[in-house]
Every structure is written in structure tokens, then in C-alpha cells.
């Protein structure tokens, strides 16, 4: 059986965890957390990086930081993970779901302006599959209407838009190190801060509403409760694991991109003839090979393909159920039909993608797909 995902271990994870444990400091913000912060700030140009226990937590921090109040509106794609919306709903926001592009699941930047009202507070673009949204258009609108941009960059580590790293463009950005992502720590995440005004308060919110970080830097002589907050910081055990991954970022990315390219080249001549679309990469963005997906013509074709692959030992999976028609949100949605988002709900299928997937396994999967489509 070829699994859909297999977490990749670099080999150093347990060694670094051992070091963290033996150092006697296993709560948060120790040496490994600091090394991770420094790496991400230097490599990707974030003004500040703060590890969190998940991307979900980083999104929740972002919602607190931009001061979302009940009744505020937040614009985001409907084709995304629940956490993108939930983080803002927790603070009372109304989510205004935008449709995806016709060519890829990212938010259609040309459809955003019509959704802006006096209540709109933020736009949350999601870089689906690690492929950039059209950030110039989104930042222009944010500027014009005085809105915040929070990038959901959960899938977008080490991917770029016109040379800028994803997560470094919006006011804030959230990353995930869940075991299904390119860099992993089991569960884990990061808030990237690009607008300096948020840095001091972010440290406080992440430390239960206390100014503990300032205290340990010697900036204040006692620490106490100064704001709202929660416990958003990971332990050193998680950061130690993540640091082992970080050291191998280039190797991980190169391997994933090689697998992605092999899929693409194997399928590019056959698939389009059968009405199936390959991933579309706009020329303003790079590919971090987070995911390899196909877009079938309809639900029946996708169901047939998933079943055929499964019968032949390959696990492929569909992805999001467009959030505007979810059990929780459908009664709150304004009724607009999101045609493209619904197309991806029914037609998108993800193929196995992980570091240890071999060339011959990729070829095997591609041959199965070709065979199935020719039958
Ligand atoms: C994985 C993912 C998340 C959630 O990440 P966690 O670290 O599991 O909280 C949020 N948004 C998107 C787009 C994701 O892919």
C-alpha cells in the first residue's frame, strides 16, 4: 500500500529532544525555540517569528492582535481548512467567503473588492498547496480600504511571490508544522509578524497575557497580567524536533520538488486529453511542492479514480468541503453560490506526496492513472 502521507524524520530529532530534556529547560522559549525563531527571521525576512503550538493558534493570535470585535467582517476563501475561519469566528467575526480562482483554489483577488463593506476588518488569503495568492492585488485593496491582511501560510513554507517569501507580505501570517506539512513537529505552528506594531503585544498574548518575555529580557523588573492572552507557546521538546527539520529544509524541499516534477511530466500529455486539469502555477509564484493534486471533470470521475487507485494499493484523497455550505456556517452565509470553490470540493484529488516516495512509486501511480483513464 502506498500511503497518502508519511512523516519524514531527518534522524536528529530525538538527539535534539534529548539535549533539550537534559538541559533541564523543557518549557517554552528556551534555546531551541530561539534558534528556530532566528532561522525563520533570517531566512524569510519576517520582522518577528514566534513559534506556537499550531497554525490554528497562530491564526487565533492574529485575530486577537488585529482586535477583531463581534460583527466585524473577515474576507477569506471558502475553500480552506476550518481553522482559517474558526480563529476569527471565536472573536465574533462574520466570515464573508469569497470564491476561488477558476484555475487554482486560491482566493480570486478580483472578487474581493465587491465584498468589502464598512465592517470589513481583514482579508485572509490562503496560499493553497503552497502556491502564492495574487498578493499585490490583495495588499493594494488592504491599503486602499485600511484592512489587515493575515496570510494563512500553513502550507506555504519556503515558497515565494515575486521573490518575497510567503508569510512576509501581509501584516501577519500563520504557518503549520503539523505532520502533514513540509516541515513538521507533530503538531506545531508559527506566527510571523511583519508589522512591527504587533510585536510587543504578540509576545504578551502568547504568554497568557503577561509581560513575561520582557521580564526575562530585563526590560521590566516584575511581570504581571497586562492583557488578554492564552498559552500559545510550544515546549522545547517540540522546538528541538522542529530544529532538526529546519536544518534539512533544503534537502526536504529539493526532494519534494523532484517528486512533484516527476508527477507533472509523467501526466502532462495524457491527463488534459481526458478533461482533467493539472495544478496551475501562476508565473508570479514558486512551487514548494507541498501537494500534488488533479482536478477531475466531476465528482463521479473523481470517485472512480480514488477507488481505482485504492483497489491497486494507492491512497489518494479529496480535500476541503467548501465552508459556506458547512453544517456550522451555511445558515450564516449570505447565499452567494461559489462556483469554483464547489468545483474543487467535488473534483480535486490529492496524490501521495512525501519525502520517501520513490521515483518508481510515482511512476507506478501515474501508470495506474493512465490505465484507468484509457479503460
Ligand atoms: C494545516 C492547515 C491549517 C491548520 O494547521 P494546524 O497546525 O494543524 O493548526 C490551517 N490552514 C491551512 C490552510 C492548513 O493547510
Amino acid at each position: 500500500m502506498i500511503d497518502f502521507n508519511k512523516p519524514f524524520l531527518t534522524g536528529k530529532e530525538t538527539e535534539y529532544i534529548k539535549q533539550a530534556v537534559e538541559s533541564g529547560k523543557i518549557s517554552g522559549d528556551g534555546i531551541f525555540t530561539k534558534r528556530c525563531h532566528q532561522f525563520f527571521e533570517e531566512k524569510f525576512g519576517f520582522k518577528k517569528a514566534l513559534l506556537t503550538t499550531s497554525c490554528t493558534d497562530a491564526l487565533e493570535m492574529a485575530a486577537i492582535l488585529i482586535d477583531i470585535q463581534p460583527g466585524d467582517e473577515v474576507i477569506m476563501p471558502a475553500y480552506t481548512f476550518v481553522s482559517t475561519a474558526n480563529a476569527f469566528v471565536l472573536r465574533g467575526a462574520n466570515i464573508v467567503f469569497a470564491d476561488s480562482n477558476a484555475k487554482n483554489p486560491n482566493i480570486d483577488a478580483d472578487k474581493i473588492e465587491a465584498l468589502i463593506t464598512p465592517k470589513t476588518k481583514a482579508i485572509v488569503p490562503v496560499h493553497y498547496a503552497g502556491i502564492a495568492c495574487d498578493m499585490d492585488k490583495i495588499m493594494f485593496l488592504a491599503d486602499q480600504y485600511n484592512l489587515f491582511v493575515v496570510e494563512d501560510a500553513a502550507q506555504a513554507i519556503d515558497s515565494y511571490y515575486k521573490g518575497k517569501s510567503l508569510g512576509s507580505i501581509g501584516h501577519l501570517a500563520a504557518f503549520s508544522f503539523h505532520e502533514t506539512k513540509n516541515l513538521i513537529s507533530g503538531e506545531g505552528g508559527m506566527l510571523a509578524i511583519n508589522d512591527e506594531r504587533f510585536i510587543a503585544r504578540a509576545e504578551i498574548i502568547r504568554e497568557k497575557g503577561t509581560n513575561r518575555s520582557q521580564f526575562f529580557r530585563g526590560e521590566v523588573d516584575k511581570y504581571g497580567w497586562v492583557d488578554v492572552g492564552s498559552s500559545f507557546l510550544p515546549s522545547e521538546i517540540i522546538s528541538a524536533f522542529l530544529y532538526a527539520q529546519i536544518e534539512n529544509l533544503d534537502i526536504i524541499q529539493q526532494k519534494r520538488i523532484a517528486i512533484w516534477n516527476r508527477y507533472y511530466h509523467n501526466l502532462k500529455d495524457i491527463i488534459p486529453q481526458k478533461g482533467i486539469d493539472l495544478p496551475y502555477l501562476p508565473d508570479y509564484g514558486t512551487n514548494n511542492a507541498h501537494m500534488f493534486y488533479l482536478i477531475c471533470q466531476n465528482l463521479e470521475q473523481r470517485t472512480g479514480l480514488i477507488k481505482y487507485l485504492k483497489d491497486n494499493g494507492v491512497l489518494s484523497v479529496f480535500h476541503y468541503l467548501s465552508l459556506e455550505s458547512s453544517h456550522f456556517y451555511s445558515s450564516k452565509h449570505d447565499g452567494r453560490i461559489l462556483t469554483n470553490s464547489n468545483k474543487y470540493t467535488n473534483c480535486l484529488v490529492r496524490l501521495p506526496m512525501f519525502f520517501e516516495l520513490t521515483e518508481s512509486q510515482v511512476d507506478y501511480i501515474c501508470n495506474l492513472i493512465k490505465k484507468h483513464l484509457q479503460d
Side-chain angles (χ1 to χ4, degrees), residues 54-56 80-81 83-84 126 152 154-155 176 178 181 188 320:
S54 65
C55 178
T56 302
T80 185
F81 190 57
S83 294
T84 320
V126 180
D152 182 336
Q155 305 172 10
S176 176
H178 184 264
K181 306 299 202 277
Y320 304 128

Side-chain angles (χ1 to χ4, degrees), residues 36-38 40-41 46-51 190-193:
C36 292
H37 289 169
Q38 194 183 353
F40 288 122
E41 287 163 13
F46 311 137
K47 295 251 168 59
K48 183 80 195 157
L50 290 172
L51 294 193
M190 170 171 64
L191 180 72
I193 303 170

Side-chain angles (χ1 to χ4, degrees), residues 63 246 271 357 365:
I246 282 177
I271 289 281
L357 193 65
I365 296 164

